[in-house]
Amino acid sequence: MIEVHHVTKRYGGFTAVDDVSFTARQGRVTGFLGPNGAGKSTTMRIMVGLTPATSGNVTIGGHRYSDIPNPARHVGVLLDASAQHAGRTGREILALGAATMGLPEKRVDEMLELVSLTPKEAKRRVRHYSLGMRQRLGIAHALLGEPRVLILDEPANGLDPAGIHWMRGMLRTFAQQGGTVLLSSHLLHEVEMIADDMLLIGNGRIVAQGTKEELLRTTGTLVRAVEAEALRDALADAGFPVKADAAHLHVEAEPVQVGEVAARHQLTLVELRPADGAGLEALFLELTAETQREGVVA
Amino acid sequence: MTAPPTGAPQGLLDVSGTSRVPFTRHVVVEMRKMFDTRAGKWLMVTIVAITALVVALLLIFAPDEGNNFEAFLGATATPQGFLLPVLGVLLVTSEWGQRAALTTFTLEPHRERVIAAKVVAAVLFGLAAIVVAILVAALATVIASVDDMWGAYGFGDLGNFALLQTMGIVQGLAFGMLFLNSAAAIVTYFVLPIAFNIVTSIIEQVRDVQPWIDLGTAQTPLFDGQGLTGEEWAQVATTTLIWIVLPFAIGAWRMLRAEVK
Ligand SMILES: Nc1ncnc2c1ncn2[C@@H]1O[C@H](COP(=O)(O)OP(=O)(O)OP(=O)(O)O)[C@@H](O)[C@H]1O
Ligand SMILES: [Mg+2]
């Protein structure tokens, strides 16, 4: 279990992390979601003491990270897969970790096999690794000490579909066996597929948190009709709040209620479905749009 | 009903069965890090090779009645004196520049233990280099077999020599910690004494206090095997304070506080 209590990090006048509190529960995968620059990596670095917090504190399994003896035996950390000496071989990087943790050399081979790095690839210098290979090595390093807690910053970054599929299964099993997983991403879809619980961070602040079910709960109905204007008026007359975007009407009602209104007015529907997670997606898009660098594309 | 989970209560980590990473293990890992990159490995090879080379050159091209053990050992001092500090610098900067410190300080959040392990590793490397120098010099001495080949060279002289070389490597380490950048640390290490010489040649008043503030001047007696006076030891102490202890303290403060990313 990871507990973050009112953590704030200021760089000069800029607040990168703003009074963030949350709990990543044991036995669950918690997704930490936010657009670029939202403060995910900073929060994770604060968790393991690499960045000092301006205020607030974090406990992992009830301990401050620095109070955990041989912490890598309890907490597996992947913050930046490229932060390795490029001149070392992949195998040597794991071997150094294993040596520090006091693990036998064979643990290195097990981990290499687990993340599907071949012995030949493991002998190559990390300078010559592809992004995905580096990521696999980083995951292997995080798992080396058989930890009960995982803190992974963008672990899926650079993995191919097979790699992502494997990682999803691995993290699921890890959590089912009583582990705690916190993983960050800037892709809603990715987190949606792996996480049980979700946190949404924007501009350093937590803007939404809860179980995936809570956050993705059906919020109305999406509908499309040939006679868009007529349907809109009919629904409004029936007393349902309606919003329109380019393609759909978004109605605060059950799909069956929308269908009935359409039938009564003999309107032709081409699409009718629950607006799953549309609320979260809209919130996320809004956050992303605020920090979007390209400007709005018309 | 399912049985309640055994061991630690829900969500808590039971760390009672784990001991912290022993200091000796950190030292071993820090030394290993010098062997597993090309730069480190070649620097080691170079130190050994150049040590052997200067002694061999002396033996072959300057066959002299004065070529006793002390002469051979003395010949190794200069090249090693140049290269050992570079080794000290790399002990810190090679991982800082490559951001591998992120992993190091995640594995050991008590950074002072990592710094201490680096100091011990540096001293051990320094001593190893001296052992190599002694072995090579002894071999050359036996081959040359001049009269009085061991001269009056004693353990005191050997101790001074070891102290000198070890100070060099620790100073390199301190500069590495101060700058956290190989190029800046190495250049400063070599340029500072030159700059200092220029200053003393221009400003007369500095010349009088030079042995008290210039490391090279204060260390000269450690070379020549005459034994040091109390005043000379005091000068070694003040210059060490200025050029080794002070940079080390500032560098350590910097490493302990730095945000690692
Ligand atoms: N040393 C620093 N000085 C000033 N600002 C900083 C510093 N470090 C980070 N920041 C700022 O803090 C904010 C949060 O950065 P962070 O790396 O935590 O974002 P992130 O959520 O991980 O983004 P991404 O998805 O791109 O990885 C950014 O705006 C960043 O520019
Ligand atoms: Mg990030």
Side-chain angles (χ1 to χ4, degrees), chain A residues 11 26 45 50-51 61 63 65-66 74 80 84 86 88 92 99-100, chain B residues 11 13 18 21 25 32-33 36 38 98-99 103 106 110 259-261:
Chain A
Y11 291 106
Q26 186 180 11
R45 278 201 313 274
L50 290 174
T51 292
H63 313 271
Y65 184 81
S66 60
H74 300 279
D80 186 342
Q84 289 295 355
R88 290 200 177 104
E92 176 63 13
T100 309
Chain B
L13 278 177
T18 324
V21 179
R25 219 192 271 158
R32 178 170 175 168
K33 284 182 193 168
D36 65 8
R38 260 185 212 150
Q98 299 271 346
R99 297 170 60 230
T103 306
T106 307
H110 297 275
E259 176 179 28
V260 185
K261 57 194 316 193

PDB file of all heavy atoms in Angstrom, chain A residues 11 26 45 50-51 61 63 65-66 74 80 84 86 88 92 99-100, chain B residues 11 13 18 21 25 32-33 36 38 98-99 103 106 110 259-261:
ATOM      1  N   TYR A  11       9.024  24.377  -7.578  1.00  0.00           N
ATOM      2  CA  TYR A  11      10.319  24.761  -8.160  1.00  0.00           C
ATOM      3  C   TYR A  11      10.272  26.271  -8.302  1.00  0.00           C
ATOM      4  O   TYR A  11       9.615  26.775  -9.211  1.00  0.00           O
ATOM      5  CB  TYR A  11      10.508  24.125  -9.527  1.00  0.00           C
ATOM      6  CG  TYR A  11      10.695  22.631  -9.492  1.00  0.00           C
ATOM      7  CD1 TYR A  11       9.677  21.774  -9.901  1.00  0.00           C
ATOM      8  CD2 TYR A  11      11.889  22.067  -9.044  1.00  0.00           C
ATOM      9  CE1 TYR A  11       9.849  20.401  -9.884  1.00  0.00           C
ATOM     10  CE2 TYR A  11      12.064  20.702  -9.025  1.00  0.00           C
ATOM     11  CZ  TYR A  11      11.047  19.875  -9.445  1.00  0.00           C
ATOM     12  OH  TYR A  11      11.221  18.512  -9.427  1.00  0.00           O
ATOM     13  N   GLN A  26      -3.349  -2.261  -1.698  1.00  0.00           N
ATOM     14  CA  GLN A  26      -2.762  -3.581  -1.888  1.00  0.00           C
ATOM     15  C   GLN A  26      -3.716  -4.469  -2.684  1.00  0.00           C
ATOM     16  O   GLN A  26      -4.932  -4.363  -2.550  1.00  0.00           O
ATOM     17  CB  GLN A  26      -2.492  -4.216  -0.525  1.00  0.00           C
ATOM     18  CG  GLN A  26      -1.743  -5.527  -0.647  1.00  0.00           C
ATOM     19  CD  GLN A  26      -1.469  -6.158   0.699  1.00  0.00           C
ATOM     20  OE1 GLN A  26      -2.002  -5.738   1.716  1.00  0.00           O
ATOM     21  NE2 GLN A  26      -0.627  -7.180   0.701  1.00  0.00           N
ATOM     22  N   ARG A  45       9.096  10.328  -8.095  1.00  0.00           N
ATOM     23  CA  ARG A  45      10.459  10.523  -7.580  1.00  0.00           C
ATOM     24  C   ARG A  45      10.422  10.897  -6.110  1.00  0.00           C
ATOM     25  O   ARG A  45      11.284  10.481  -5.332  1.00  0.00           O
ATOM     26  CB  ARG A  45      11.179  11.607  -8.385  1.00  0.00           C
ATOM     27  CG  ARG A  45      11.772  11.126  -9.690  1.00  0.00           C
ATOM     28  CD  ARG A  45      12.874  12.072 -10.161  1.00  0.00           C
ATOM     29  NE  ARG A  45      12.442  13.450 -10.070  1.00  0.00           N
ATOM     30  CZ  ARG A  45      11.763  14.088 -11.027  1.00  0.00           C
ATOM     31  NH1 ARG A  45      11.486  13.475 -12.144  1.00  0.00           N
ATOM     32  NH2 ARG A  45      11.392  15.326 -10.854  1.00  0.00           N
ATOM     33  N   LEU A  50      14.098  10.570  -4.307  1.00  0.00           N
ATOM     34  CA  LEU A  50      15.071  11.127  -5.250  1.00  0.00           C
ATOM     35  C   LEU A  50      14.873  12.625  -5.396  1.00  0.00           C
ATOM     36  O   LEU A  50      15.802  13.362  -5.711  1.00  0.00           O
ATOM     37  CB  LEU A  50      14.944  10.449  -6.617  1.00  0.00           C
ATOM     38  CG  LEU A  50      15.407   8.998  -6.664  1.00  0.00           C
ATOM     39  CD1 LEU A  50      15.103   8.380  -8.016  1.00  0.00           C
ATOM     40  CD2 LEU A  50      16.894   8.888  -6.365  1.00  0.00           C
ATOM     41  N   THR A  51      13.645  13.070  -5.179  1.00  0.00           N
ATOM     42  CA  THR A  51      13.323  14.491  -5.184  1.00  0.00           C
ATOM     43  C   THR A  51      12.740  14.817  -3.812  1.00  0.00           C
ATOM     44  O   THR A  51      11.842  14.122  -3.353  1.00  0.00           O
ATOM     45  CB  THR A  51      12.271  14.786  -6.275  1.00  0.00           C
ATOM     46  OG1 THR A  51      12.855  14.581  -7.553  1.00  0.00           O
ATOM     47  CG2 THR A  51      11.757  16.212  -6.182  1.00  0.00           C
ATOM     48  N   GLY A  61       3.815   0.842   2.391  1.00  0.00           N
ATOM     49  CA  GLY A  61       3.609  -0.257   3.329  1.00  0.00           C
ATOM     50  C   GLY A  61       3.808   0.198   4.772  1.00  0.00           C
ATOM     51  O   GLY A  61       4.237  -0.577   5.627  1.00  0.00           O
ATOM     52  N   HIS A  63       5.957   2.524   5.813  1.00  0.00           N
ATOM     53  CA  HIS A  63       7.302   3.047   6.079  1.00  0.00           C
ATOM     54  C   HIS A  63       7.661   4.152   5.111  1.00  0.00           C
ATOM     55  O   HIS A  63       7.221   4.145   3.972  1.00  0.00           O
ATOM     56  CB  HIS A  63       8.359   1.947   5.910  1.00  0.00           C
ATOM     57  CG  HIS A  63       8.016   0.673   6.588  1.00  0.00           C
ATOM     58  ND1 HIS A  63       8.357   0.414   7.881  1.00  0.00           N
ATOM     59  CD2 HIS A  63       7.350  -0.414   6.131  1.00  0.00           C
ATOM     60  CE1 HIS A  63       7.906  -0.796   8.209  1.00  0.00           C
ATOM     61  NE2 HIS A  63       7.292  -1.313   7.169  1.00  0.00           N
ATOM     62  N   TYR A  65      10.218   5.441   2.515  1.00  0.00           N
ATOM     63  CA  TYR A  65      11.090   4.633   1.649  1.00  0.00           C
ATOM     64  C   TYR A  65      12.491   4.510   2.230  1.00  0.00           C
ATOM     65  O   TYR A  65      13.082   3.435   2.235  1.00  0.00           O
ATOM     66  CB  TYR A  65      11.143   5.244   0.242  1.00  0.00           C
ATOM     67  CG  TYR A  65      11.932   4.420  -0.745  1.00  0.00           C
ATOM     68  CD1 TYR A  65      11.370   3.319  -1.369  1.00  0.00           C
ATOM     69  CD2 TYR A  65      13.258   4.749  -1.049  1.00  0.00           C
ATOM     70  CE1 TYR A  65      12.087   2.559  -2.277  1.00  0.00           C
ATOM     71  CE2 TYR A  65      13.987   3.988  -1.952  1.00  0.00           C
ATOM     72  CZ  TYR A  65      13.401   2.895  -2.560  1.00  0.00           C
ATOM     73  OH  TYR A  65      14.125   2.138  -3.457  1.00  0.00           O
ATOM     74  N   SER A  66      13.024   5.632   2.735  1.00  0.00           N
ATOM     75  CA  SER A  66      14.408   5.621   3.226  1.00  0.00           C
ATOM     76  C   SER A  66      14.540   4.805   4.512  1.00  0.00           C
ATOM     77  O   SER A  66      15.654   4.491   4.925  1.00  0.00           O
ATOM     78  CB  SER A  66      14.906   7.048   3.444  1.00  0.00           C
ATOM     79  OG  SER A  66      14.090   7.685   4.402  1.00  0.00           O
ATOM     80  N   HIS A  74      11.854  -4.802  -1.367  1.00  0.00           N
ATOM     81  CA  HIS A  74      10.435  -4.618  -1.032  1.00  0.00           C
ATOM     82  C   HIS A  74       9.676  -3.794  -2.052  1.00  0.00           C
ATOM     83  O   HIS A  74       8.497  -4.013  -2.273  1.00  0.00           O
ATOM     84  CB  HIS A  74      10.311  -3.950   0.347  1.00  0.00           C
ATOM     85  CG  HIS A  74      10.927  -4.748   1.451  1.00  0.00           C
ATOM     86  ND1 HIS A  74      10.280  -5.808   2.037  1.00  0.00           N
ATOM     87  CD2 HIS A  74      12.143  -4.678   2.042  1.00  0.00           C
ATOM     88  CE1 HIS A  74      11.074  -6.353   2.957  1.00  0.00           C
ATOM     89  NE2 HIS A  74      12.206  -5.686   2.982  1.00  0.00           N
ATOM     90  N   ASP A  80      12.950   5.693 -15.029  1.00  0.00           N
ATOM     91  CA  ASP A  80      13.381   6.118 -16.352  1.00  0.00           C
ATOM     92  C   ASP A  80      14.313   5.051 -16.905  1.00  0.00           C
ATOM     93  O   ASP A  80      15.439   4.892 -16.435  1.00  0.00           O
ATOM     94  CB  ASP A  80      14.110   7.465 -16.239  1.00  0.00           C
ATOM     95  CG  ASP A  80      14.461   8.021 -17.605  1.00  0.00           C
ATOM     96  OD1 ASP A  80      14.459   7.243 -18.582  1.00  0.00           O
ATOM     97  OD2 ASP A  80      14.748   9.220 -17.688  1.00  0.00           O
ATOM     98  N   GLN A  84      20.555   4.761 -17.422  1.00  0.00           N
ATOM     99  CA  GLN A  84      21.534   3.717 -17.143  1.00  0.00           C
ATOM    100  C   GLN A  84      22.814   4.075 -17.872  1.00  0.00           C
ATOM    101  O   GLN A  84      22.770   4.794 -18.864  1.00  0.00           O
ATOM    102  CB  GLN A  84      21.036   2.361 -17.647  1.00  0.00           C
ATOM    103  CG  GLN A  84      19.891   1.773 -16.839  1.00  0.00           C
ATOM    104  CD  GLN A  84      20.256   1.430 -15.424  1.00  0.00           C
ATOM    105  OE1 GLN A  84      21.410   1.530 -15.014  1.00  0.00           O
ATOM    106  NE2 GLN A  84      19.266   1.046 -14.636  1.00  0.00           N
ATOM    107  N   ALA A  86      25.197   3.879 -20.505  1.00  0.00           N
ATOM    108  CA  ALA A  86      25.017   3.317 -21.849  1.00  0.00           C
ATOM    109  C   ALA A  86      26.117   2.325 -22.205  1.00  0.00           C
ATOM    110  O   ALA A  86      25.952   1.495 -23.095  1.00  0.00           O
ATOM    111  CB  ALA A  86      24.971   4.442 -22.871  1.00  0.00           C
ATOM    112  N   ARG A  88      27.334  -0.008 -20.283  1.00  0.00           N
ATOM    113  CA  ARG A  88      27.242  -1.317 -19.626  1.00  0.00           C
ATOM    114  C   ARG A  88      26.344  -2.230 -20.435  1.00  0.00           C
ATOM    115  O   ARG A  88      25.427  -1.780 -21.115  1.00  0.00           O
ATOM    116  CB  ARG A  88      26.654  -1.177 -18.217  1.00  0.00           C
ATOM    117  CG  ARG A  88      27.584  -0.501 -17.266  1.00  0.00           C
ATOM    118  CD  ARG A  88      27.249  -0.775 -15.806  1.00  0.00           C
ATOM    119  NE  ARG A  88      28.265  -0.112 -15.005  1.00  0.00           N
ATOM    120  CZ  ARG A  88      28.070   1.018 -14.339  1.00  0.00           C
ATOM    121  NH1 ARG A  88      26.874   1.561 -14.283  1.00  0.00           N
ATOM    122  NH2 ARG A  88      29.051   1.585 -13.691  1.00  0.00           N
ATOM    123  N   GLU A  92      24.961  -6.779 -17.166  1.00  0.00           N
ATOM    124  CA  GLU A  92      25.775  -6.195 -16.111  1.00  0.00           C
ATOM    125  C   GLU A  92      24.946  -5.251 -15.243  1.00  0.00           C
ATOM    126  O   GLU A  92      25.134  -5.182 -14.030  1.00  0.00           O
ATOM    127  CB  GLU A  92      26.980  -5.468 -16.723  1.00  0.00           C
ATOM    128  CG  GLU A  92      27.862  -4.719 -15.726  1.00  0.00           C
ATOM    129  CD  GLU A  92      28.537  -5.623 -14.700  1.00  0.00           C
ATOM    130  OE1 GLU A  92      28.529  -6.856 -14.878  1.00  0.00           O
ATOM    131  OE2 GLU A  92      29.047  -5.080 -13.698  1.00  0.00           O
ATOM    132  N   ALA A  99      23.824  -7.674  -7.135  1.00  0.00           N
ATOM    133  CA  ALA A  99      24.946  -7.669  -6.186  1.00  0.00           C
ATOM    134  C   ALA A  99      24.636  -6.739  -5.014  1.00  0.00           C
ATOM    135  O   ALA A  99      24.868  -7.090  -3.851  1.00  0.00           O
ATOM    136  CB  ALA A  99      26.230  -7.239  -6.893  1.00  0.00           C
ATOM    137  N   THR A 100      24.095  -5.554  -5.309  1.00  0.00           N
ATOM    138  CA  THR A 100      23.766  -4.617  -4.237  1.00  0.00           C
ATOM    139  C   THR A 100      22.703  -5.215  -3.312  1.00  0.00           C
ATOM    140  O   THR A 100      22.790  -5.113  -2.095  1.00  0.00           O
ATOM    141  CB  THR A 100      23.251  -3.278  -4.807  1.00  0.00           C
ATOM    142  OG1 THR A 100      24.164  -2.811  -5.785  1.00  0.00           O
ATOM    143  CG2 THR A 100      23.098  -2.242  -3.715  1.00  0.00           C
TER     144      THR A 100
ATOM    145  N   GLY B  11      -1.800  -4.323   3.735  1.00  0.00           N
ATOM    146  CA  GLY B  11      -1.204  -3.082   3.277  1.00  0.00           C
ATOM    147  C   GLY B  11       0.135  -2.735   3.891  1.00  0.00           C
ATOM    148  O   GLY B  11       0.816  -1.854   3.406  1.00  0.00           O
ATOM    149  N   LEU B  13       4.089  -3.453   4.958  1.00  0.00           N
ATOM    150  CA  LEU B  13       5.242  -4.259   4.561  1.00  0.00           C
ATOM    151  C   LEU B  13       5.971  -4.698   5.818  1.00  0.00           C
ATOM    152  O   LEU B  13       6.306  -3.867   6.666  1.00  0.00           O
ATOM    153  CB  LEU B  13       6.196  -3.436   3.698  1.00  0.00           C
ATOM    154  CG  LEU B  13       5.904  -3.272   2.212  1.00  0.00           C
ATOM    155  CD1 LEU B  13       6.949  -2.355   1.595  1.00  0.00           C
ATOM    156  CD2 LEU B  13       5.897  -4.612   1.513  1.00  0.00           C
ATOM    157  N   THR B  18      14.584  -8.136   6.896  1.00  0.00           N
ATOM    158  CA  THR B  18      15.579  -7.653   5.940  1.00  0.00           C
ATOM    159  C   THR B  18      16.589  -6.787   6.666  1.00  0.00           C
ATOM    160  O   THR B  18      16.214  -5.929   7.456  1.00  0.00           O
ATOM    161  CB  THR B  18      14.911  -6.784   4.861  1.00  0.00           C
ATOM    162  OG1 THR B  18      13.642  -7.316   4.570  1.00  0.00           O
ATOM    163  CG2 THR B  18      15.734  -6.735   3.602  1.00  0.00           C
ATOM    164  N   VAL B  21      21.740  -2.990   3.356  1.00  0.00           N
ATOM    165  CA  VAL B  21      22.837  -3.444   2.505  1.00  0.00           C
ATOM    166  C   VAL B  21      24.152  -3.218   3.250  1.00  0.00           C
ATOM    167  O   VAL B  21      24.439  -2.100   3.659  1.00  0.00           O
ATOM    168  CB  VAL B  21      22.860  -2.658   1.174  1.00  0.00           C
ATOM    169  CG1 VAL B  21      24.009  -3.111   0.301  1.00  0.00           C
ATOM    170  CG2 VAL B  21      21.530  -2.819   0.446  1.00  0.00           C
ATOM    171  N   ARG B  25      29.475  -4.528   0.791  1.00  0.00           N
ATOM    172  CA  ARG B  25      28.853  -4.829  -0.492  1.00  0.00           C
ATOM    173  C   ARG B  25      28.819  -3.582  -1.381  1.00  0.00           C
ATOM    174  O   ARG B  25      29.059  -3.652  -2.579  1.00  0.00           O
ATOM    175  CB  ARG B  25      27.446  -5.360  -0.253  1.00  0.00           C
ATOM    176  CG  ARG B  25      27.079  -6.492  -1.191  1.00  0.00           C
ATOM    177  CD  ARG B  25      25.605  -6.753  -1.105  1.00  0.00           C
ATOM    178  NE  ARG B  25      25.238  -7.717  -0.091  1.00  0.00           N
ATOM    179  CZ  ARG B  25      23.999  -7.770   0.441  1.00  0.00           C
ATOM    180  NH1 ARG B  25      23.079  -6.910   0.099  1.00  0.00           N
ATOM    181  NH2 ARG B  25      23.711  -8.687   1.336  1.00  0.00           N
ATOM    182  N   ARG B  32      33.401  -2.576  -8.717  1.00  0.00           N
ATOM    183  CA  ARG B  32      32.994  -3.298  -9.934  1.00  0.00           C
ATOM    184  C   ARG B  32      32.576  -2.323 -11.036  1.00  0.00           C
ATOM    185  O   ARG B  32      32.841  -2.546 -12.224  1.00  0.00           O
ATOM    186  CB  ARG B  32      31.837  -4.225  -9.579  1.00  0.00           C
ATOM    187  CG  ARG B  32      31.298  -4.983 -10.770  1.00  0.00           C
ATOM    188  CD  ARG B  32      30.335  -6.051 -10.319  1.00  0.00           C
ATOM    189  NE  ARG B  32      29.731  -6.715 -11.466  1.00  0.00           N
ATOM    190  CZ  ARG B  32      29.029  -7.831 -11.387  1.00  0.00           C
ATOM    191  NH1 ARG B  32      28.850  -8.407 -10.214  1.00  0.00           N
ATOM    192  NH2 ARG B  32      28.505  -8.369 -12.459  1.00  0.00           N
ATOM    193  N   LYS B  33      31.943  -1.216 -10.642  1.00  0.00           N
ATOM    194  CA  LYS B  33      31.485  -0.235 -11.622  1.00  0.00           C
ATOM    195  C   LYS B  33      32.646   0.392 -12.394  1.00  0.00           C
ATOM    196  O   LYS B  33      32.442   1.003 -13.436  1.00  0.00           O
ATOM    197  CB  LYS B  33      30.703   0.882 -10.930  1.00  0.00           C
ATOM    198  CG  LYS B  33      29.303   0.510 -10.515  1.00  0.00           C
ATOM    199  CD  LYS B  33      28.641   1.718  -9.904  1.00  0.00           C
ATOM    200  CE  LYS B  33      27.367   1.359  -9.188  1.00  0.00           C
ATOM    201  NZ  LYS B  33      26.909   2.491  -8.363  1.00  0.00           N
ATOM    202  N   ASP B  36      33.448  -2.310 -15.412  1.00  0.00           N
ATOM    203  CA  ASP B  36      32.473  -2.815 -16.383  1.00  0.00           C
ATOM    204  C   ASP B  36      32.103  -1.799 -17.463  1.00  0.00           C
ATOM    205  O   ASP B  36      31.171  -2.011 -18.213  1.00  0.00           O
ATOM    206  CB  ASP B  36      31.227  -3.348 -15.668  1.00  0.00           C
ATOM    207  CG  ASP B  36      30.468  -2.261 -14.929  1.00  0.00           C
ATOM    208  OD1 ASP B  36      30.821  -1.086 -15.089  1.00  0.00           O
ATOM    209  OD2 ASP B  36      29.521  -2.590 -14.199  1.00  0.00           O
ATOM    210  N   ARG B  38      33.955   0.725 -20.622  1.00  0.00           N
ATOM    211  CA  ARG B  38      35.204   0.817 -21.379  1.00  0.00           C
ATOM    212  C   ARG B  38      36.156   1.837 -20.793  1.00  0.00           C
ATOM    213  O   ARG B  38      37.334   1.565 -20.619  1.00  0.00           O
ATOM    214  CB  ARG B  38      34.899   1.178 -22.828  1.00  0.00           C
ATOM    215  CG  ARG B  38      34.944  -0.033 -23.686  1.00  0.00           C
ATOM    216  CD  ARG B  38      34.766   0.308 -25.138  1.00  0.00           C
ATOM    217  NE  ARG B  38      34.083  -0.825 -25.757  1.00  0.00           N
ATOM    218  CZ  ARG B  38      33.266  -0.740 -26.788  1.00  0.00           C
ATOM    219  NH1 ARG B  38      33.011   0.428 -27.318  1.00  0.00           N
ATOM    220  NH2 ARG B  38      32.704  -1.811 -27.274  1.00  0.00           N
ATOM    221  N   GLN B  98      25.745   9.740 -16.764  1.00  0.00           N
ATOM    222  CA  GLN B  98      24.870   8.803 -17.474  1.00  0.00           C
ATOM    223  C   GLN B  98      23.553   8.618 -16.737  1.00  0.00           C
ATOM    224  O   GLN B  98      22.745   7.774 -17.097  1.00  0.00           O
ATOM    225  CB  GLN B  98      25.580   7.450 -17.601  1.00  0.00           C
ATOM    226  CG  GLN B  98      26.871   7.514 -18.376  1.00  0.00           C
ATOM    227  CD  GLN B  98      26.647   7.313 -19.849  1.00  0.00           C
ATOM    228  OE1 GLN B  98      25.591   6.889 -20.263  1.00  0.00           O
ATOM    229  NE2 GLN B  98      27.641   7.631 -20.650  1.00  0.00           N
ATOM    230  N   ARG B  99      23.355   9.350 -15.696  1.00  0.00           N
ATOM    231  CA  ARG B  99      22.133   9.320 -14.886  1.00  0.00           C
ATOM    232  C   ARG B  99      21.909   7.985 -14.193  1.00  0.00           C
ATOM    233  O   ARG B  99      20.811   7.696 -13.726  1.00  0.00           O
ATOM    234  CB  ARG B  99      20.918   9.701 -15.743  1.00  0.00           C
ATOM    235  CG  ARG B  99      21.064  11.138 -16.265  1.00  0.00           C
ATOM    236  CD  ARG B  99      20.042  11.501 -17.295  1.00  0.00           C
ATOM    237  NE  ARG B  99      18.705  11.384 -16.763  1.00  0.00           N
ATOM    238  CZ  ARG B  99      17.735  10.724 -17.373  1.00  0.00           C
ATOM    239  NH1 ARG B  99      17.945  10.138 -18.513  1.00  0.00           N
ATOM    240  NH2 ARG B  99      16.553  10.670 -16.840  1.00  0.00           N
ATOM    241  N   THR B 103      19.531   5.030 -10.291  1.00  0.00           N
ATOM    242  CA  THR B 103      19.407   3.655  -9.800  1.00  0.00           C
ATOM    243  C   THR B 103      20.177   3.478  -8.488  1.00  0.00           C
ATOM    244  O   THR B 103      19.667   2.907  -7.534  1.00  0.00           O
ATOM    245  CB  THR B 103      19.956   2.665 -10.853  1.00  0.00           C
ATOM    246  OG1 THR B 103      19.303   2.911 -12.089  1.00  0.00           O
ATOM    247  CG2 THR B 103      19.721   1.236 -10.431  1.00  0.00           C
ATOM    248  N   THR B 106      18.345   4.897  -5.675  1.00  0.00           N
ATOM    249  CA  THR B 106      17.089   4.198  -5.398  1.00  0.00           C
ATOM    250  C   THR B 106      17.386   2.920  -4.613  1.00  0.00           C
ATOM    251  O   THR B 106      16.666   2.563  -3.687  1.00  0.00           O
ATOM    252  CB  THR B 106      16.358   3.856  -6.711  1.00  0.00           C
ATOM    253  OG1 THR B 106      16.226   5.053  -7.473  1.00  0.00           O
ATOM    254  CG2 THR B 106      14.969   3.300  -6.443  1.00  0.00           C
ATOM    255  N   HIS B 110      20.208   6.123   1.415  1.00  0.00           N
ATOM    256  CA  HIS B 110      21.136   6.834   2.317  1.00  0.00           C
ATOM    257  C   HIS B 110      22.399   7.141   1.523  1.00  0.00           C
ATOM    258  O   HIS B 110      23.350   6.375   1.497  1.00  0.00           O
ATOM    259  CB  HIS B 110      21.429   5.996   3.555  1.00  0.00           C
ATOM    260  CG  HIS B 110      20.208   5.750   4.373  1.00  0.00           C
ATOM    261  ND1 HIS B 110      19.757   6.656   5.309  1.00  0.00           N
ATOM    262  CD2 HIS B 110      19.304   4.756   4.349  1.00  0.00           C
ATOM    263  CE1 HIS B 110      18.626   6.207   5.837  1.00  0.00           C
ATOM    264  NE2 HIS B 110      18.330   5.054   5.276  1.00  0.00           N
ATOM    265  N   GLU B 259      18.600  16.917  -6.492  1.00  0.00           N
ATOM    266  CA  GLU B 259      17.466  16.175  -7.013  1.00  0.00           C
ATOM    267  C   GLU B 259      18.006  15.274  -8.115  1.00  0.00           C
ATOM    268  O   GLU B 259      18.637  15.743  -9.056  1.00  0.00           O
ATOM    269  CB  GLU B 259      16.425  17.144  -7.573  1.00  0.00           C
ATOM    270  CG  GLU B 259      15.258  16.423  -8.213  1.00  0.00           C
ATOM    271  CD  GLU B 259      14.195  17.349  -8.756  1.00  0.00           C
ATOM    272  OE1 GLU B 259      14.535  18.488  -9.130  1.00  0.00           O
ATOM    273  OE2 GLU B 259      13.040  16.937  -8.809  1.00  0.00           O
ATOM    274  N   VAL B 260      17.770  13.974  -7.992  1.00  0.00           N
ATOM    275  CA  VAL B 260      18.312  13.040  -8.966  1.00  0.00           C
ATOM    276  C   VAL B 260      17.228  12.692  -9.972  1.00  0.00           C
ATOM    277  O   VAL B 260      16.176  12.184  -9.625  1.00  0.00           O
ATOM    278  CB  VAL B 260      18.811  11.759  -8.269  1.00  0.00           C
ATOM    279  CG1 VAL B 260      19.491  10.857  -9.279  1.00  0.00           C
ATOM    280  CG2 VAL B 260      19.767  12.112  -7.148  1.00  0.00           C
ATOM    281  N   LYS B 261      17.495  13.036 -11.228  1.00  0.00           N
ATOM    282  CA  LYS B 261      16.496  12.759 -12.258  1.00  0.00           C
ATOM    283  C   LYS B 261      17.148  12.495 -13.590  1.00  0.00           C
ATOM    284  O   LYS B 261      18.320  12.669 -13.757  1.00  0.00           O
ATOM    285  CB  LYS B 261      15.485  13.889 -12.359  1.00  0.00           C
ATOM    286  CG  LYS B 261      16.127  15.235 -12.631  1.00  0.00           C
ATOM    287  CD  LYS B 261      15.220  16.409 -12.400  1.00  0.00           C
ATOM    288  CE  LYS B 261      13.830  16.315 -12.903  1.00  0.00           C
ATOM    289  NZ  LYS B 261      13.129  17.576 -12.899  1.00  0.00           N
TER     290      LYS B 261
END
